[in-house]
Amino acid sequence: MPAVSEPDVFVSYAHADNGVPVGASVPHGWVTAFASNLNEGPNVLKKRLFIDHQLQAGDDFGSGLLNRVEQSSLLVLLLSQNYIDSAWCGQELEHFVRTHSADPESPADVYVVELFPYERLIGVPPVIQRLRKRLIHAKFWYQRHDAAEPSLAGYPSAGECEPAGRDHYWNVLNE
């Protein structure tokens, strides 16, 4: 059993997916809200979450973050084009797979959350391709019948999006 200070869940995301849109009334980005909402609601199993903005001033970002990755029991990967394009996100994922799986071809304890349709992502690295074959757990994007492009459910926040996006967000989160 991990010590109390060690996280159960490491949230791996691209910072570009956590921005606050100009004009939004929320003080934090989609990823921060998503991570917080993982512990909200009746009968929710509380998890110790780690998201990188919890690092303290003066912490060694590189080794400190990789230590948190290694100490975590589960990695929640927020998959988007921004994630794929981030070299740092790739390092987090590779480090988790290397330290948590006897078989890198079948990594365990990775929970993949799609923020955008996988089929539209460009340059998906092999480790994510392997995960994709069996580990996509939640799709937070949805396609309205009258829209040309998919939308991220709950964006910019669950309270500031259209009803279909709000409903999709809470349904997927609660699953």
Side-chain angles (χ1 to χ4, degrees):
M1 184 70 137
V4 173
S5 64
E6 294 176 353
D8 292 323
V9 178
F10 185 94
V11 179
S12 183
Y13 70 100
H15 281 235
D17 293 331
N18 199 31
V20 179
V22 174
S25 66
V26 294
H28 44 73
W30 189 95
V31 173
T32 301
F34 167 81
S36 294
N37 286 334
L38 289 173
N39 277 332
E40 295 302 325
N43 301 317
V44 169
L45 175 64
K46 299 292 183 186
K47 297 154 281 303
R48 288 183 307 266
L49 300 168
F50 181 82
I51 189 165
D52 65 3
H53 55 72
Q54 293 172 325
L55 287 172
Q56 303 298 314
D59 285 350
D60 178 6
F61 183 80
S63 64
L65 210 51
L66 291 179
N67 285 337
R68 294 291 183 136
V69 167
E70 194 168 329
Q71 293 169 356
S72 299
S73 302
L74 178 75
L75 182 101
V76 173
L77 183 163
L78 301 178
L79 185 58
S80 67
Q81 189 65 54
N82 291 325
Y83 190 93
I84 288 169
D85 293 342
S86 167
W88 186 255
C89 290
Q91 287 179 23
E92 289 174 356
L93 177 58
E94 291 282 352
H95 188 70
F96 187 87
V97 169
R98 187 172 50 255
T99 59
H100 287 77
S101 180
D103 180 7
E105 294 298 315
S106 298
D109 303 323
V110 177
Y111 193 93
V112 180
V113 174
E114 278 188 10
L115 303 186
F116 194 74
Y118 176 83
E119 295 74 22
R120 293 178 154 192
L121 299 174
I122 299 166
V124 179
V127 65
I128 293 176
Q129 291 174 18
R130 287 189 301 272
L131 287 170
R132 176 52 165 75
K133 288 181 184 175
R134 54 186 216 55
L135 291 177
I136 294 293
H137 296 283
K139 295 180 180 179
F140 273 85
W141 60 270
Y142 67 105
Q143 181 82 39
R144 288 190 352 241
H145 69 281
D146 61 343
E149 291 294 319
S151 298
L152 178 60
Y155 183 80
S157 73
E160 292 185 345
C161 66
E162 66 180 7
R166 182 175 50 248
D167 292 347
H168 185 85
Y169 176 87
W170 290 111
N171 287 336
V172 174
L173 186 74
N174 289 322
E175 286 176 8

